Amino acid sequence: MRNAETVLHIIRNRGPRGLPVGDLYRQLYNPHLYLRAYAKLYPNQGAMTPGVTPETVDGMSLRKIETIIEALRLERYRWTPVRRTYIPKKSGKQRPLGVPSWSDKLLQEVMCSLLEAYYEPQFSSYSPGFRPGRGCHTALEEMGRRWKGMKWFIEGAICAFFDRIDKRVLLKIRQEKIHDNRFLRLVRHLLDAGYMEKGTLRPTYSGVPQGSGLSPILSNIVLDRLDKYVEQTLIPASTRGLRRKT
């Protein structure tokens, strides 16, 4: 069985060439990917926070990985609803946060590594949000280094974007390049898993789960369409300048 880095390298090379990717679901049988995901997750403080089940990283073992893989082989893996809690915002309001169970969190990290390997090389270099090695500081460094002639900037925000993503749009975009129905179905079931709040199971009709390891990459798959539209269509159409009258 190939090691994790070899698998991700093969997938990473398909994206820039515009090649679709299949057999992602079968990669979820690879225990090396789970060990890689565990190494990334266990130092986080949230790894010890239980979801709707009492399991945390403290109970991690190779047997748990084998159990997840066996359930996936039989297509019997079922996502548990996330436990919804609220964290305060600077504005005084509260932001909902979903806490997955440990097994779900581990599997989501494996799926995220596969999706990032494929989509990251295709995303715009001007898009720093929710991406590995990028963020506000890298954006500011880029502005200071290359945009020295700028006098002003326009700042905007998409209100509650995670909560309002149209799941049908997300699934349609992913189907264009991911030719693996089992993997797509697994993601769809995650989006439909719902959340527990005050002991009551509530359905999710739109959006991606707050707190899910998959939510950032799934959101960027949708936002990339906006990035490309602004970069390739809107900016060229709006910066041609006025035609001088003779």
Side-chain angles (χ1 to χ4, degrees), residues 24-205:
L24 286 183
Y25 191 90
R26 192 164 58 88
Q27 303 307 323
L28 301 178
Y29 306 159
N30 190 332
H32 298 292
L33 289 169
Y34 293 84
L35 294 174
R36 181 180 183 274
Y38 168 72
K40 183 176 180 180
L41 291 174
Y42 88 85
N44 298 336
Q45 186 175 0
M48 288 297 295
T49 304
V52 296
T53 66
E55 66 168 336
T56 66
V57 67
D58 195 41
M60 183 59 184
S61 66
L62 290 174
R63 179 57 187 162
K64 186 176 290 290
I65 293 175
E66 293 169 359
T67 300
I68 294 172
I69 291 175
E70 182 63 18
L72 289 166
R73 285 186 188 275
L74 299 174
E75 297 189 45
R76 293 179 180 173
Y77 191 89
R78 297 294 180 265
W79 302 104
T80 56
V82 297
R83 178 175 63 84
R84 174 161 286 190
T85 184
Y86 291 87
I87 56 176
K89 300 173 66 174
K90 291 182 179 179
S91 62
K93 297 181 180 180
Q94 290 188 317
R95 179 168 69 89
L97 179 68
V99 183
S101 67
W102 169 251
S103 291
D104 285 358
K105 191 179 297 186
L106 186 65
L107 177 55
Q108 287 173 33
E109 183 60 34
V110 173
M111 296 169 68
C112 180
S113 67
L114 297 172
L115 290 174
E116 279 188 352
Y118 182 68
Y119 280 105
E120 266 293 320
Q122 304 176 59
F123 288 158
S124 170
S125 60
Y126 296 106
S127 172
F130 305 118
R131 296 179 62 187
R134 297 171 182 264
C136 293
H137 291 292
T138 58
L140 290 171
E141 289 173 1
E142 177 82 4
M143 291 162 57
R145 185 171 62 253
R146 299 183 58 183
W147 297 5
K148 295 181 180 180
M150 291 292 179
K151 300 297 183 182
W152 50 270
F153 295 88
I154 298 175
E155 180 184 4
I158 303 175
C159 180
F161 178 68
F162 273 24
D163 299 330
R164 298 180 181 182
I165 292 177
D166 190 318
K167 291 190 285 188
R168 294 170 300 177
V169 172
L170 171 59
L171 294 172
K172 183 178 179 180
I173 292 174
R174 290 187 306 108
Q175 286 172 346
E176 294 173 0
K177 293 187 175 182
I178 296 179
H179 298 174
D180 186 332
N181 288 331
R182 291 192 298 170
F183 190 88
L184 294 172
R185 186 163 58 245
L186 188 62
V187 176
R188 187 177 74 246
H189 288 167
L190 170 65
L191 299 178
D192 294 338
Y195 62 95
M196 293 288 293
E197 185 172 17
K198 296 180 179 179
T200 302
L201 176 61
R202 302 181 185 276
T204 47
Y205 300 106

